[in-house]
Amino acid sequence: MGGRHRKDLECNRIDSAASAVRCDPESPTAGSAFVARALAAQPELPAWIAWLHDRAGEQWARLEYQMHYPLDYGGSAGARMTEEWLIIQRAYRAEYAARSVERARRFYRAQPGIVHAHTPELPDDAEFYAALESGREWTGHWYSRDPLGAWGLSETSS
């Protein structure tokens, strides 16, 4: 099997964007303004996590949540970090995972058990990945920040 998987390439782009912030403090994604907006925009329960809970169960949803939230998680209860590059990396990795879940929800809803999908592309995927690759801040839609209502979910459904 030749070549690399798309998800490996996308993770490398996320790593590159975070590295650009570390190496170039003048990068568009650098600075506390992006971090402050990202921290303020993270919902208490993101819609994509609640959808995973409904489709794949509590353990899977907990695992995804713990890998991605809170963006400034410091490693122990109540501990928060201030390293901007790491918060930025976590924000983009959460968005990457949320986009994968959104593809499953949108394109494979009728197929039980599919909770992540890397194809087909979402309408704004090309722009999202171009922003990552260039180190620009993504200013389009963040699926990782969608509240429950955006996905037709409620507090009682999850």
Side-chain angles (χ1 to χ4, degrees):
M1 205 169 171
R4 296 179 64 189
H5 292 287
R6 176 180 174 195
K7 72 177 190 171
D8 293 336
L9 295 173
E10 306 315 338
C11 286
N12 286 342
R13 288 180 183 167
I14 293 168
D15 293 339
S16 296
S19 294
V21 170
R22 274 187 286 183
C23 298
D24 180 11
E26 300 303 315
S27 161
T29 54
S32 57
F34 175 86
V35 171
R37 284 192 308 276
L39 292 173
Q42 64 183 338
E44 187 175 330
L45 177 60
W48 71 279
I49 297 289
W51 189 85
L52 275 176
H53 184 276
D54 289 350
R55 294 291 293 238
E58 183 177 347
Q59 288 181 332
W60 189 262
R62 280 182 181 276
L63 173 67
E64 288 285 353
Y65 185 88
Q66 290 171 354
M67 287 192 309
H68 301 294
Y69 298 100
L71 297 176
D72 60 348
Y73 177 68
S76 61
R80 296 291 181 247
M81 71 173 134
T82 58
E83 294 182 52
E84 291 182 358
W85 70 270
L86 193 52
I87 294 170
I88 291 167
Q89 184 178 41
R90 287 180 66 109
Y92 278 107
R93 285 191 184 274
E95 179 59 17
Y96 176 77
R99 285 174 171 272
S100 172
V101 171
E102 170 60 9
R103 283 186 207 95
R105 182 180 80 95
R106 190 179 290 192
F107 302 118
Y108 302 101
R109 178 177 292 212
Q111 298 178 36
I114 297 180
V115 294
H116 285 279
H118 297 286
T119 58
E121 290 189 357
L122 296 171
D124 62 351
D125 270 354
E127 293 86 6
F128 173 72
Y129 295 118
L132 272 182
E133 200 165 273
S134 69
R136 288 181 289 118
E137 180 179 339
W138 172 241
T139 57
H141 183 76
W142 289 77
Y143 294 95
S144 60
R145 298 176 181 173
D146 281 346
L148 296 174
W151 287 36
L153 302 168
S154 66
E155 289 285 334
T156 57
S157 69
S158 51

